[in-house]
Amino acid sequence: SYLIQESFNTIGATIILLIDEYADVTLSNPGEGSTIVQNVFDLLLFIVTYPQSSITLTRALGAVCLADDRFAVILFVETCGENLQHWNKVVIILLNSAEFSVRSVAVDLFVTLVGEVFDEYGCIDSFTFFILKKLHE
């Protein structure tokens, strides 16, 4: 359990470095860049969905916020298209976390995503459709 948590912490730190160093490069190569962004978000989704400590979840959610900030919401929606429902489900679950640190970062992520979707598309219909589909569960 400890080894898995430390592995996820290391992977999360590596992803943050990757995002900081290569965001401009991936955005300049649209085809190749979207593949890297999709892989980053898929890996972060796996880390966030795996049950672990609040510290690891906070770091992983922080990496998601950083990736969303650096890559923009358009790439998030495009690359996470098939996983967008799962992302919404995970964020809604983490909004109800017992740990304040996890809850506060999840709120930041949720508000950022909804705000950026509204700024980019002019409405949040497509995003809220996925949220409303998951709330009944």
Side-chain angles (χ1 to χ4, degrees):
S1 173
Y2 174 76
L3 185 60
I4 291 172
Q5 180 177 335
E6 288 304 314
S7 299
F8 283 152
N9 284 337
T10 304
I11 291 169
T14 305
I15 288 173
I16 290 172
L17 280 172
L18 176 80
I19 293 167
D20 277 341
E21 296 297 324
Y22 295 107
D24 297 331
V25 174
T26 56
L27 291 175
S28 64
N29 299 330
E32 210 175 290
S34 64
T35 305
I36 293 171
V37 172
Q38 181 178 7
N39 292 335
V40 164
F41 281 123
D42 286 345
L43 184 59
L44 287 171
L45 180 62
F46 175 74
I47 291 172
V48 171
T49 56
Y50 194 84
Q52 51 199 325
S53 74
S54 62
I55 295 170
T56 305
L57 284 173
T58 304
R59 287 181 182 168
L61 285 172
V64 174
C65 289
L66 178 67
D68 181 50
D69 182 48
R70 294 296 300 259
F71 294 133
V73 74
I74 295 172
L75 277 177
F76 179 79
V77 172
E78 287 177 4
T79 58
C80 297
E82 59 196 39
N83 291 329
L84 199 55
Q85 288 180 337
H86 193 53
W87 270 106
N88 286 324
K89 182 179 180 179
V90 167
V91 170
I92 288 170
I93 289 170
L94 292 175
L95 285 172
N96 294 318
S97 175
E99 295 291 331
F100 176 73
S101 59
V102 174
R103 220 174 33 243
S104 65
V105 177
V107 166
D108 288 344
L109 175 62
F110 183 77
V111 169
T112 300
L113 285 175
V114 171
E116 288 180 0
V117 165
F118 181 78
D119 288 343
E120 192 61 40
Y121 297 109
C123 67
I124 58 171
D125 290 343
S126 60
F127 194 73
T128 54
F129 173 72
F130 293 116
I131 295 170
L132 293 175
K133 260 180 106 171
K134 286 296 174 186
L135 282 179
H136 73 279
E137 296 178 359

